[in-house]
Every structure is written in C-alpha cells, then in structure tokens.
Amino acid sequence: TSQIITVTEAIERFTQSGDCKVKPGILRLINEGLGELAVADVDKAAIVHFLDAYSEGKAPSTRNRYISGVSSVMKFCAQRDWIDHNPASLIKKQSEVGNERDRVITIEEEAALRDACDEQDRVLGHIFVMLMATGSRISEITGLRWRDVDMKNKTIRLSSSSTKNKQARTLFIAGRAWERLEEHSKVRPISDDSLVFPYYTGAEYPATRAFRKASNSIGYDWFIPHLTRHTWASRVSAMPGMTVQRLCQLAGWSSWQMAQRYAHAMQSDNHDVMAQLAETYS
C-alpha cells in the first residue's frame, strides 16, 4: 500500500475490527513502545527492543503475552497486505517451566540480597527490607510519602490512589523493617509531602533497575522484584491462624483467587481445627 500505516493506526483498526482478542492493557503498552513506527519498519530487532524495555523484572509468562500481543497486531497487518510477513513470528517465546516467579527467597538469599542493596545504596536496602517485610508492590513503597507513615503506631497507610486495586490498606511494620524505618526517619525532611525513600535526585526511586544491578553483582540473576511479594505471601500463609480472607486483606488482593495459590500452606492448621472440634464435641 502506498499509504504509510503506523502501529498506532493499526492497533486502532485492529480494535475496531472485532477480531481483537488482545487485552487493552497490552495494546496500550505496544502503542506506547512501538506506536510511532510505520508497520513496515517494525522488524525483529524493534520488537525485541520493546520486549526488553517493557518486560524488565517481569516473569517469562508476561514477556510471552507481550510477544503474542505484538504478533496478533502484526498478523492483522499482514492479512491486509500492509506488510508481507509477521516479524513477531521470528521471536522465540521463553520457557515458563519452573517459572522463576514461583521461587521463594531463602533466608540466606535474603541476607545476601539485602547486603548487596545496602552496598549499592542504603536507601535501596531500606526499600528491599520493606518489600520483604510487608509484601507490598514496588510502586507502593517507592511512592510512599511521610504523611502516610505513623511512627507512633508503627503503621503505614496506603491510600486508594497508590494501590493497584484502588483499595486503601494498612501495612504493619515490625522487626528489622521497623528498626530501619526508625533510623531512616531521623533524617526525614520537614515536609510531610516528601517521599520516604527518594532517589538521590529527589525523584521517585527507580528500584527495579537498581535491584537488577545489585542482584547481578552477586550472581543472583534469577532475582525479580515480584519474588519479594511471593516470598512474603508464602511465609505469611504458613503462620498459625492465617486464612485466605486475611491474606487477601494483608496483601491488598481484591480477588480470592490470588490468595488461593497459597492456601495449601494453611491446610495443616485446618486439620488441627477439626481435631479440636472432634475432641470438644465427642
């Protein structure tokens, strides 16, 4: 076709065609990363560059979903003869077997990662410790402001605008995380609107990138930030009296399905409850 079609235009037409099965969130990322390019200029290298930029710190399954999304858009273009082949079909998907996203960080690995973060920057170490102790998402900690911190009650209030599911929740801080927060609070700025863990520039901390550098420095190239949340949830699930409902509340999940994957750790407790019930009423 003599007419130059951009990726943005292609996505728009694809969405209107009724054939589109790609999630809007993924299309939005593709548009952000590749939108300005003419579809004829989208080659394997451009797609790989997009994947590397947008999949950093994410699981292989996420990267694979992005590949499928780009592939669907490019296939749509090929069917309309805007391009002669689908460049995304040349990209190999990553193995999801033994997905690293399901790895639990051991206590030894946690100590090594903490030291590596501290060595790079004490504030990065604070962020890592907070993630491990609270199971929060990175953005919830890097976007934290002093007005959200209640030093007296050792709690942090996440507002509905700062959480993924748009529901406010309270984080309870104890142990090492509390000690470090207390130490860090001694140098807090006057303004309550200031970030709790700012980057040295004063901006929000680019923690994902910094974690990659710190974990690679000790040969832990398997580490992705999501593992702090998964490890926290696995540990919390094994605590006596934990329920799926309570775990949802602590983790800020609106769907019980998210907590369900940790339910197996709670089963042993159920056995004790039933044994107690039998003993009381027999």
Side-chain angles (χ1 to χ4, degrees), residues 5-7 10-11 39 72-84:
I5 304 275
T6 65
V7 173
I11 288 173
V39 292
S72 297
V73 173
M74 300 316 285
K75 189 176 166 191
F76 175 80
C77 296
Q79 285 166 348
R80 275 142 194 82
D81 289 333
W82 298 335
I83 50 175
D84 53 17

Side-chain angles (χ1 to χ4, degrees), residues 166-186:
K166 302 296 173 219
Q167 284 177 8
R169 77 178 191 281
T170 300
L171 304 179
F172 301 90
I173 316 300
R176 183 184 286 111
W178 168 249
E179 285 161 21
R180 291 184 66 135
L181 184 61
E182 201 175 21
E183 168 210 321
H184 183 60
S185 74
K186 290 179 178 138

Side-chain angles (χ1 to χ4, degrees), residues 137 164-167 248-249 251-258:
R137 300 172 180 91
K164 192 178 177 183
N165 66 354
K166 302 296 173 219
Q167 284 177 8
C248 276
Q249 219 175 347
W253 287 316
S254 48
S255 152
W256 281 37
Q257 285 166 310
M258 291 298 289

